């Protein structure tokens, strides 16, 4: 049986330490803060990122350099026959497209999975890949199975501030100002491809209720007949105490499901700011 290495990136929420325990490699996402280069979870902690965000530092995300990606692949292929590479959704970053282009030079030894995931849903893809590897599947088979499952996940996110959606051009300054005065909380969704608007409500409680109801509807409709294969997730940006309460609310609402948990990737947090909460639902293999 061929030896297969599994690679993902830090957008999955999997830390370097956790990646080692899982037996996988995690590519760190690069960030530029006031022109200085940092790497998520290596030279940039969650705490430092949110501290700089609060200070209104100029923060932008990048993607792992082709050189870093190929160096990692080359190193892994010294001891493995094949690689399954699971990057952030191609709808949220060009990292996937870059990796797919680089893989063309590896004669099929590197299979890049474009399965439209991020955060805990991306982590579930990694867990699925590990399971498939144990079952003896080849890298190409793992890629094909994961891509066939790519829309079997859903994410709902609400934000604490409209500042970053305005900064990123997702809402107009006038809409942001009105939303702040009226205490409007947008609920956003990621249904595979990219971050889209889902609903707009007044207040934090209404936003959380909207997200729970949306997951409820997805379980009954989108995932009908697959209920016993579902895993729910909770993600957050820089607010662990609120996140712990949110996880408790999700668990009380859906006592029959296990709840995965992770900080939102910093690349998503860049666009929505600190204090956001998310709930996810993913079908596991």
């Amino acid at each position: 049986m061929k030896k297969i290495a599994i690679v993902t990136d830090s957008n999955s929420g999997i830390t370097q330490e956790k990646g080692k325990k899982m037996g996988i490699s995690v590519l760190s996402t690069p960030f530029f803060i006031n022109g200085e280069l940092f790497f998520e979870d290596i030279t940039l902690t969650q705490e430092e990122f949110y501290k700089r965000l609060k200070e209104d530092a100029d923060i932008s995300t990048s993607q792992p350099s082709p050189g870093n990606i190929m160096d990692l692949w080359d190193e892994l292929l010294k001891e493995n026959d094949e690689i399954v590479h699971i990057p952030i959704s191609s709808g949220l970053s060009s990292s996937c497209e870059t990796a797919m282009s680089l893989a063309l030079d590896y004669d099929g030894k590197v299979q890049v999975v474009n399965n439209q995931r991020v955060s805990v849903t991306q982590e579930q893809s990694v867990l699925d890949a590990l399971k498939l590897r144990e079952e003896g599947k080849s890298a190409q088979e793992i890629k094909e199975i994961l891509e066939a499952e790519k829309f079997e996940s859903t994410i709902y996110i609400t934000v604490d501030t409209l500042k970053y959606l305005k900064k990123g051009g997702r809402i107009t300054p006038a809409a942001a100002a009105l939303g702040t005065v009226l205490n409007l909380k947008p609920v956003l969704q990621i249904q595979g491809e990219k971050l889209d608007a889902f609903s707009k409500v007044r207040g934090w409680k209404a936003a959380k209720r909207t997200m729970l109801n949306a997951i409820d509807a997805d379980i009954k409709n989108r995932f009908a007949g697959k209920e016993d294969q579902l895993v729910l997730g909770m993600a957050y940006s820089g607010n662990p105490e609120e996140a712990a309460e949110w996880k408790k609310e999700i668990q009380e609402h859906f006592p029959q499901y296990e709840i995965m948990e992770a900080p939102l990737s910093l690349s998503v947090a860049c666009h929505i700011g600190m204090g956001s909460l998310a709930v996810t639902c993913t079908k596991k293999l």
Side-chain angles (χ1 to χ4, degrees):
M1 192 166 72
K2 288 185 175 180
K3 284 187 72 178
I4 300 173
I6 308 292
V7 177
T8 190
D9 57 41
S10 56
N11 294 293
S12 63
I14 300 173
T15 62
Q16 297 296 318
E17 183 183 357
K18 187 173 179 179
K20 283 174 188 168
K21 288 177 183 172
M22 293 171 73
I24 66 163
S25 299
V26 182
L27 267 169
S28 179
T29 302
F31 286 81
F32 285 95
I33 302 180
N34 293 335
E36 188 179 351
L37 179 63
F38 293 86
F39 291 92
E40 183 170 4
D41 196 40
I42 294 178
T43 56
L44 181 64
T45 64
Q46 289 263 328
E47 293 76 16
E48 178 66 16
F49 172 83
Y50 287 112
K51 176 175 173 287
R52 304 297 286 271
L53 199 65
K54 278 183 185 175
E55 293 168 354
D56 266 343
D58 180 21
I59 302 177
S60 61
T61 61
S62 185
Q63 56 173 305
S65 73
N68 286 351
I69 296 169
M70 290 188 293
D71 285 348
L72 175 60
W73 289 352
D74 292 342
E75 193 61 34
L76 289 171
L77 286 171
K78 289 177 183 176
E79 296 182 8
N80 295 275
D81 302 302
E82 297 180 324
I83 293 170
V84 174
H85 184 97
I86 307 171
I88 182 176
S89 167
S90 60
L92 297 171
S93 167
S94 53
S95 298
C96 184
E97 188 180 350
T98 298
M100 290 175 87
S101 176
L102 295 173
L104 295 174
D105 290 334
Y106 282 79
D107 299 322
K109 290 180 181 177
V110 178
Q111 298 290 328
V112 179
V113 179
N114 182 15
N115 78 328
Q116 314 288 1
R117 303 284 178 90
V118 68
S119 189
V120 285
T121 65
Q122 187 178 348
E123 181 179 349
Q124 185 58 51
S125 295
V126 173
L127 295 172
D128 289 341
L130 290 169
K131 179 176 182 288
L132 291 167
R133 184 179 70 180
E134 282 175 25
E135 292 172 0
K137 297 285 192 289
S138 69
Q140 185 172 346
E141 287 172 324
I142 294 172
K143 167 190 164 77
E144 288 170 356
I145 292 167
L146 293 183
E147 288 187 347
E149 296 276 313
K150 68 181 179 181
F151 292 122
E152 299 284 11
S153 77
T154 185
I155 301 177
Y156 296 97
I157 306 171
T158 193
V159 302
D160 186 44
T161 172
L162 300 174
K163 174 180 175 179
Y164 299 94
L165 292 174
K166 179 184 81 172
K167 193 174 178 181
R170 291 185 180 274
I171 58 173
T172 65
L178 184 63
T180 301
V181 170
L182 297 177
N183 192 25
L184 292 180
K185 299 292 181 191
V187 174
L188 310 170
Q189 64 178 337
I190 301 176
Q191 302 281 3
E193 289 276 332
K194 55 187 184 294
L195 197 64
D196 287 315
F198 176 73
S199 181
K200 197 171 3 177
V201 294
R202 289 188 72 172
W204 204 237
K205 284 185 180 177
K208 291 202 274 189
R209 189 167 58 248
T210 298
M211 291 193 290
L212 292 174
N213 289 342
I215 290 289
D216 215 7
D218 281 345
I219 290 171
K220 288 172 184 169
N221 300 305
R222 283 187 65 195
F223 300 115
K226 306 168 187 173
E227 293 84 356
D228 59 343
Q229 291 175 271
L230 300 181
V231 177
L232 268 56
M234 183 279 294
Y236 59 98
S237 60
N239 49 339
E241 292 85 9
E242 284 180 61
E245 283 298 312
W246 175 226
K247 183 180 179 181
K248 190 176 167 189
E249 285 183 54
I250 298 169
Q251 192 71 80
E252 286 172 356
H253 199 89
F254 301 102
Q256 69 274 42
Y257 292 112
E258 61 176 294
I259 312 287
M260 294 174 71
E261 167 186 353
L264 273 167
S265 91
L266 298 184
S267 56
V268 173
C270 254
H271 300 292
I272 60 177
M274 186 172 176
S276 58
L277 295 172
V279 59
T280 76
C281 183
T282 311
K283 174 180 164 281
K284 63 180 177 180
L285 294 177

